[in-house]
Amino acid sequence: GRGTPRNRLRRAAGVAPCKGVGGYAKRASLGVSVIFVDDALLVLDKPSGLLAVPGRGADKQDALSTRVQQQYPDALIVHRLDMATSGLMLMARGSQVQRLLSKSFADREVSKRYEAVVDGRLSPAAGAPGGWGVIDLPIMVDWPRRPLRIIDAERGQPSLTHWQVLSYDAASHTTRVALVPITGRSHQLRVHLQALGHPIVGDMLYASAAAQAKASRLLLHACALALTHPVSGEPLAFESPVPFER
């Protein structure tokens, strides 16, 4: 319906790029901004370069989840962002809420919107309603080159992304786009934009050396999140300002 989290996000995305939320975010003593917290969940703003969860090895133990658990020991992961991606992440407080939120993600009741800057001039989707194009290309792990992903029509998992051109910058020959992933495959947005011939600027896995050199980080930010509160049933919507200019 029109009032679903995804429709609210897509309508907002069609009007304007993500904007800041004023003084809404507060800085915790964790190197992470806590955007919202109550007894059931946390909404956090992950910086680029920080793991979402710990990896293997002593040098990969610093992560958003471990930092947050220092202050909120009951905080549990329900989804992830790539280390290079910045923006909004949701954590559950306690295993019961984790199950509820995990089901909401599985049922596609949690909507996320991203902004990215891609290499080259990406033309708006021709004839698409509201200017929203659709990328419908199946993705699978590229086993010999893990953790990379590839498009594979036969063995890939169904993967769907909605995208909209926001602006073009002639000086850097880059295009800013809004992205709404319908599925949640690893590296989905990065692989789908590469498949269009316009990889995300600063992408050390999927962009050319020239496109990598245009930024010191991956220019991909999770800027909006909408869901129904798992306990109260109230609609929740959050935004995070995009931290890169282009």
Side-chain angles (χ1 to χ4, degrees):
R2 291 179 57 82
T4 64
R6 177 163 293 112
N7 283 346
R8 291 202 304 272
L9 277 189
R10 287 196 55 187
R11 287 201 301 276
V15 172
C18 285
K19 291 182 170 59
V21 290
Y24 189 47
K26 62 177 180 287
R27 174 68 63 174
S29 58
L30 307 168
V32 173
S33 292
V34 179
I35 303 295
F36 175 85
V37 59
D38 68 6
D39 290 341
L41 57 88
L42 295 120
V43 179
L44 307 138
D45 202 342
K46 188 186 85 68
S48 176
L50 179 66
L51 289 165
V53 297
R56 293 180 180 177
D59 60 333
K60 295 183 176 64
Q61 296 309 296
D62 183 29
L64 178 134
S65 63
T66 51
R67 290 187 187 186
V68 171
Q69 285 160 357
Q70 292 171 22
Q71 188 164 335
Y72 303 97
D74 58 352
L76 298 170
I77 283 286
V78 291
H79 72 116
R80 305 181 186 195
L81 293 177
D82 291 344
M83 180 177 179
T85 304
S86 57
L88 296 173
M89 263 189 67
L90 187 64
M91 291 186 76
R93 299 192 67 182
S95 57
Q96 182 178 357
V97 175
Q98 184 188 40
R99 285 192 295 272
L100 293 170
L101 288 175
S102 295
K103 184 176 187 304
S104 293
F105 272 94
D107 293 342
R108 301 181 185 174
E109 295 172 350
V110 179
S111 294
K112 296 177 287 180
R113 178 158 50 94
Y114 294 73
E115 280 191 23
V117 176
V118 302
D119 194 37
R121 183 161 199 161
L122 177 57
S123 298
W132 284 92
V134 176
I135 307 169
D136 184 2
L137 295 171
I139 294 173
M140 68 170 289
V141 176
D142 186 359
W143 289 105
R145 300 191 300 154
R146 284 176 294 174
L148 271 65
R149 266 65 179 173
I150 54 172
I151 304 295
D152 190 300
E154 293 184 0
R155 294 174 293 169
Q157 293 179 296
S159 306
L160 193 65
T161 300
H162 293 178
W163 62 278
Q164 182 191 56
V165 169
L166 298 175
S167 62
Y168 171 68
D169 182 69
S172 61
H173 190 46
T174 60
T175 305
R176 183 180 288 264
V177 293
L179 302 161
V180 175
I182 307 304
T183 52
R185 311 301 177 203
S186 294
H187 297 182
Q188 176 176 316
L189 301 178
R190 300 164 72 174
V191 173
H192 272 174
L193 288 164
Q194 180 200 39
L196 290 187
H198 297 275
I200 299 175
V201 170
D203 194 333
M204 302 303 289
L205 295 179
Y206 299 102
S208 66
Q212 291 175 13
K214 288 185 178 182
S216 59
R217 56 154 290 185
L218 177 73
L219 298 190
L220 177 63
H221 183 72
C223 64
L225 179 71
L227 69 151
T228 299
H229 194 286
V231 178
S232 71
E234 291 296 312
L236 299 176
F238 305 96
E239 287 196 353
S240 165
V242 178
F244 39 84
E245 291 297 322
R246 284 186 285 117

